[in-house]
Every structure is written in C-alpha cells, then in structure tokens.
Amino acid sequence: MHRNKMSLKGLVAVIVAIAAALFPLAALAQDGGAGAPKTFLPYVFAVYTVTWAAFFGYAFYMARRQRELRREIDELRQQQADKGAA
Amino acid sequence: MMLTDLALIFMWVPAERVTGNLFLIFYFHVPLAMTSFLAFFVTFVSSAMYLWKRNSKWDALGQASAEVGVLLISLVLITGSIWAKPANGVWWTWDPRLTTSLILWLVYIGYLMVRAYAANPSQAARFASVIGLIGFLDVPIVYFSAVWWRNAIHPNLYLGPLAEPDALAPQMQNGFMFSMFTFLVLLIYVLWERTSIRIQEDQVKALRNA
C-alpha cells in the first residue's frame, strides 16, 4: 500500500515535470509573436529548467532520505522489541 | 498549482514592452527571492526561539528553513545571472543588490557549514542559531538596496512596503501575485517535509542511544 502510494507520487512528479518543461518549449516553438528578439527565449527556458531541476532534485533527495529514515526507525524499533523480549 | 502558474506565465500574461519575453524570467526570479527572504525569516524566528526555549523542534525548523533558503537564494543568483546576460551584457556585476545577495548566500552557507562541522549537536544548534539571528540582518539590506543605491539593474520594487503601485500592468500584476502564492505554497510544503526529516533523524539518534 505504502509502496503504491510512493510510486503514484513518483508518477505524478514525472507528469508534472514533463508538463512543466512543455510550457517553455511551446513558447520557444512559437517565438516571435510577442515582438521580442528570438534569442531571448533560450534564456527564459534555461531559467525555468534550472529552477525545476533544482526543485525536483531536492524533492527526490527528501523522498529518498525519508524512506531511508523510516526503514531505519522500523529496524531500530524491531531491535529494541527483540531485546525487550529476550 | 505550478502548472497553472506556468500556463498563466506563458499563455496569459502579456509580454513586457521593452524586454519582451525576457521579462518572463521575472515571474520565477522575484518569487524565488521573496520566498528565500521568508525562509530566512523563519530561520531567524526559530533561532531566537531555540536560544530562548532550547526546544529541538525550533532547531529543526531553523535548520530546515535555512537549507531551503540556501536552495532558493542559489536559484535567485543563478536565474538573475541568466537574466543579466541578455539584459545587461554580463553574467555578473557588482551591483549593490547582487553583492548583498551574494553575501546573504555566503552567510547561510556558513550557517550550514557550522552545523556540519560543529563538535556536537547542541553546539551546532547554538552556534547556528546565533548565525541565524545575525545573518538575517542582511535580508532588509538586500531588499532596501534597490532604494538606497538606485541603479539600472533593479530599478523598481514590486512587492513589500516600498513597492511602487504602477510598476506592473494589472494583468502582469495578477500573474505575478499568483506566482508568488504558488511559490509560497511550495515553500511551506518543502519546509514541512524537510523539518519532518530532521525530526526523524533526531528519532533515529535517540533510538540508537537508547
């Protein structure tokens, strides 16, 4: 159940990441309509990519760390319970 | 929310008159800066509360918000640099706001280093809390630098007590406020997650020592 929840979270994160990348890409494809020089949108795209990559990287790090800690807490609690029983 | 924000920025908000599409960077750059200030304010309050109450939950919140704040201010410096290249022809200049922002980044990098290298956790918490209190003094300096040392790179204030009322067209203002709100929600979420990780880390330490 817990694993399903995690993989669903991951799937949602991937979909959001792809969609987030598509907006600047779509804008990049139709550059020129707003009257701005064509060379500017790669900079805009770079900004959005860097920001999203940083947030997703950080979210990934937090999710992994949380998983590790949960497992560690469960193991330590189990060890203590075993000690208590012995 | 993030997707709605992106849709608004790329499909609804009009292009700026002078810089055109380059101004779209503004809708990420400024909210990143404002939320980093807010994160450092949380660190400031948490540090004061920790020094007063000595409750490790305040320390956990302070550490989490400093870490998130460093991530945000790093993004501010990077996105600002990417914006500056086409706008001003340089990646970096020693403009007052850029310089004070870099100092802010260095202060909180120092905060995280003190935490990493202190002799024991209680010393790390105490020393870091002092840095969290003093380091916050730079935040108002960064904000007011645009007023104290007027310059072409940061000509207007868009948010806060000194914001100029007609700096943005109404549609741009609405897009900007939505972006601000989105980043605020993101900050709260990331802070919540990071604080709970730190509390779990403390739990692990306590269980090991038990």
Side-chain angles (χ1 to χ4, degrees):
Chain A
M1 181 68 187
H2 180 67
R3 180 168 280 189
N4 281 348
K5 206 175 158 188
M6 291 303 288
S7 59
L8 187 69
K9 259 189 176 177
L11 186 68
V12 170
V14 170
I15 291 170
V16 170
I18 292 168
L22 283 178
F23 281 111
L25 276 175
L28 203 61
Q30 47 178 269
D31 191 14
K38 196 167 185 142
T39 49
F40 283 173
L41 271 173
Y43 291 99
V44 176
F45 184 65
V47 161
Y48 283 75
T49 307
V50 165
T51 307
W52 276 104
F55 272 114
F56 276 99
Y58 193 60
F60 178 73
Y61 154 77
M62 284 198 301
R64 210 178 60 177
R65 183 87 186 110
Q66 212 153 29
R67 251 198 323 269
E68 282 170 6
L69 283 165
R70 256 189 226 128
R71 200 180 51 224
E72 217 171 324
I73 289 170
D74 289 345
E75 279 172 13
L76 286 166
R77 282 200 178 130
Q78 188 62 46
Q79 277 175 15
Q80 281 189 344
D82 291 347
K83 262 189 204 168
Chain B
M1 264 186 92
M2 266 292 173
L3 290 179
T4 312
D5 187 34
L6 285 170
L8 283 178
I9 293 168
F10 284 99
M11 293 169 175
W12 185 71
V13 167
E16 207 258 348
R17 197 164 33 89
V18 181
T19 54
N21 287 334
L22 187 64
F23 197 72
L24 294 177
I25 293 173
F26 165 87
Y27 298 100
F28 260 37
H29 178 71
V30 178
L32 280 170
M34 296 313 280
T35 44
S36 75
F37 295 166
L38 192 61
F40 293 137
F41 178 68
V42 174
T43 304
F44 171 76
V45 174
S46 310
S47 300
M49 290 305 288
Y50 175 75
L51 290 174
W52 183 28
K53 301 271 183 191
R54 299 289 163 147
N55 183 332
S56 68
K57 283 191 176 161
W58 286 114
D59 184 47
L61 181 61
Q63 183 187 1
S65 54
E67 196 177 293
V68 175
V70 165
L71 173 75
L72 292 166
I73 197 74
S74 304
L75 286 171
V76 171
L77 291 171
I78 294 166
T79 57
S81 191
I82 297 171
W83 192 356
K85 180 62 182 164
N88 307 308
V90 287
W91 293 104
W92 181 266
T93 174
W94 294 103
D95 145 271
R97 182 166 269 188
L98 269 67
T99 309
T100 49
S101 300
L102 182 66
I103 293 169
L104 188 66
W105 183 78
L106 288 170
V107 166
Y108 284 92
I109 288 288
Y111 175 101
L112 296 178
M113 284 175 78
V114 162
R115 283 203 168 273
Y117 297 112
N120 58 65
S122 95
Q123 192 187 58
R126 262 184 300 124
F127 287 3
S129 295
V130 172
I131 298 175
L133 274 179
I134 299 169
F136 183 73
L137 289 175
D138 192 33
V139 169
I141 297 175
V142 175
Y143 179 79
F144 288 109
S145 63
V147 179
W148 292 339
W149 303 286
R150 284 264 172 203
N151 61 81
I153 296 178
H154 294 98
N156 295 316
L157 286 170
Y158 298 95
L159 203 70
L162 298 180
E164 286 158 39
D166 296 322
L168 289 173
Q171 210 171 340
M172 293 165 99
Q173 179 74 24
N174 292 339
F176 171 58
M177 292 317 286
F178 188 83
S179 205
M180 271 304 308
F181 183 65
T182 305
F183 274 89
L184 189 65
V185 171
L186 189 67
L187 172 70
I188 292 167
Y189 168 74
V190 174
L191 262 186
W192 179 271
E193 290 285 320
R194 185 62 188 91
T195 307
S196 68
I197 286 175
R198 169 58 210 276
I199 290 169
Q200 281 178 327
E201 284 170 347
D202 289 349
Q203 272 181 339
V204 168
K205 273 181 204 154
L207 283 167
R208 278 201 183 129
N209 294 333

